[in-house]
Amino acid sequence: MANKPYKFSRQAENLIANLRGVPENYSPIVRETVDMGSVFDNILTRYKIGIDSLEDQIREKWTKIVGLENAGHCNPVRIEREKTLVIAVSNPIIRQELQFNQAIILKNLKSLKYGDQIRYLVFRSG
């Protein structure tokens, strides 16, 4: 058995009071106050604010990942399902060259923090 008695909701307490013929409790509900610092800390960790994401790291080191010649003709768009990097390519020749060098690009991505999550590359015109 628990040391504390069970705490009913306000609605249940009012129902029981009504059935027993006792006046219902209409006092305002007082909630516990929470420190704003802990609220902000929870928000920052939940939404990963202030932490470099994998997408940011990829954009910073894009020329190193795909090479200086190709970096001007393509750019990373987004990461889908946490394992597929979508790359926008300006023309079909660069697209084919990137497809040939796909293994090298994936190897370069693995050098980044959390870069080993990326397993597939998708090339789209754009």
Side-chain angles (χ1 to χ4, degrees):
M1 290 196 111
N3 295 336
K4 295 182 186 180
Y6 181 75
K7 179 75 174 154
F8 288 104
S9 68
R10 172 69 64 91
Q11 187 178 12
E13 284 183 3
N14 286 340
L15 178 64
I16 294 168
N18 194 358
L19 290 172
R20 295 178 72 193
V22 180
E24 295 180 13
N25 184 2
Y26 292 110
S27 63
I29 297 174
V30 179
R31 296 189 176 133
E32 294 180 28
T33 58
V34 180
D35 180 35
M36 286 300 289
S38 64
V39 171
F40 283 128
D41 289 340
N42 289 339
I43 290 172
L44 291 175
T45 55
R46 178 184 294 164
Y47 296 108
K48 299 176 184 173
I49 298 172
I51 300 172
D52 278 344
S53 67
L54 179 59
E55 290 175 341
D56 294 335
Q57 293 177 28
I58 291 172
R59 284 188 185 97
E60 286 175 11
K61 306 212 187 240
W62 186 241
T63 56
K64 181 183 172 189
I65 293 170
V66 294
L68 187 59
E69 312 82 41
N70 296 329
H73 301 286
C74 62
N75 58 348
V77 178
R78 67 181 172 275
I79 297 175
E80 292 180 346
R81 297 186 181 130
E82 298 180 2
K83 61 182 177 180
T84 304
L85 176 63
V86 178
I87 300 172
V89 184
S90 63
N91 63 44
I93 297 169
I94 300 296
R95 178 181 184 166
Q96 189 169 14
E97 185 175 339
L98 290 174
Q99 285 176 338
F100 287 141
N101 296 326
Q102 190 168 3
I104 297 169
I105 295 170
L106 287 171
K107 180 183 157 198
N108 291 340
L109 284 170
K110 288 184 182 183
S111 67
L112 300 175
K113 184 178 182 183
Y114 304 118
D116 54 345
Q117 294 177 357
I118 305 295
R119 298 187 183 206
Y120 306 105
L121 299 177
V122 174
F123 302 102
R124 299 228 170 114
S125 346

